[in-house]
């Protein structure tokens, strides 16, 4: 075995890879940050919220829901 200061069969390089992977994992993992602007909901969720708040009637809700379902079916 060769021991040259801080190198031991490439362990120095392996540790850089380990620390780099850990830092990437910490910063790339999505998590909730207080005060962060929330993502917009799906179209169905927005429609449901508008209906629940009374902004649209049941008939408008059903019509718009059918349109959204048709668009979703076209995409798939």
């Amino acid at each position: 075995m060769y021991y040259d200061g801080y190198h031991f069969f490439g362990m120095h390089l392996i540790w850089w890879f380990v620390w780099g992977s850990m830092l990437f994992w910490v910063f790339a993992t999505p998590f909730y940050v207080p005060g962060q602007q929330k993502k917009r909901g799906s179209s169905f969720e927005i429609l449901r919220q508008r209906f629940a708040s009374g902004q649209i009637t049941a008939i408008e809700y059903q019509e718009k829901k059918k349109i959204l379902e048709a668009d979703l079916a076209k995409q798939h």
Side-chain angles (χ1 to χ4, degrees):
M1 287 192 232
Y2 298 104
Y3 179 76
D4 185 23
Y6 55 89
H7 294 94
F8 188 70
F9 285 122
M11 285 300 290
H12 182 70
L13 181 62
I14 292 171
W15 278 113
W16 274 109
F17 177 74
V18 169
W19 285 113
S21 299
M22 288 177 63
L23 285 173
F24 176 79
W25 177 68
V26 167
F27 290 107
T29 304
F31 54 91
Y32 175 74
V33 177
Q36 181 182 22
Q37 188 177 28
K38 292 185 178 181
K39 293 181 181 177
R40 292 181 55 126
S42 69
S43 301
F44 286 105
E45 182 65 23
I46 294 169
L47 181 62
R48 188 190 66 76
Q49 289 175 352
R50 289 185 63 201
F51 177 63
S53 68
Q55 293 178 357
I56 59 175
T57 65
I59 296 170
E60 290 175 317
Y61 174 78
Q62 292 299 329
E63 290 172 355
K64 293 175 190 297
K65 184 177 174 188
K66 286 180 186 177
I67 293 169
L68 289 174
E69 288 171 345
D71 286 344
L72 184 63
K74 286 179 185 177
Q75 291 176 0
H76 295 289

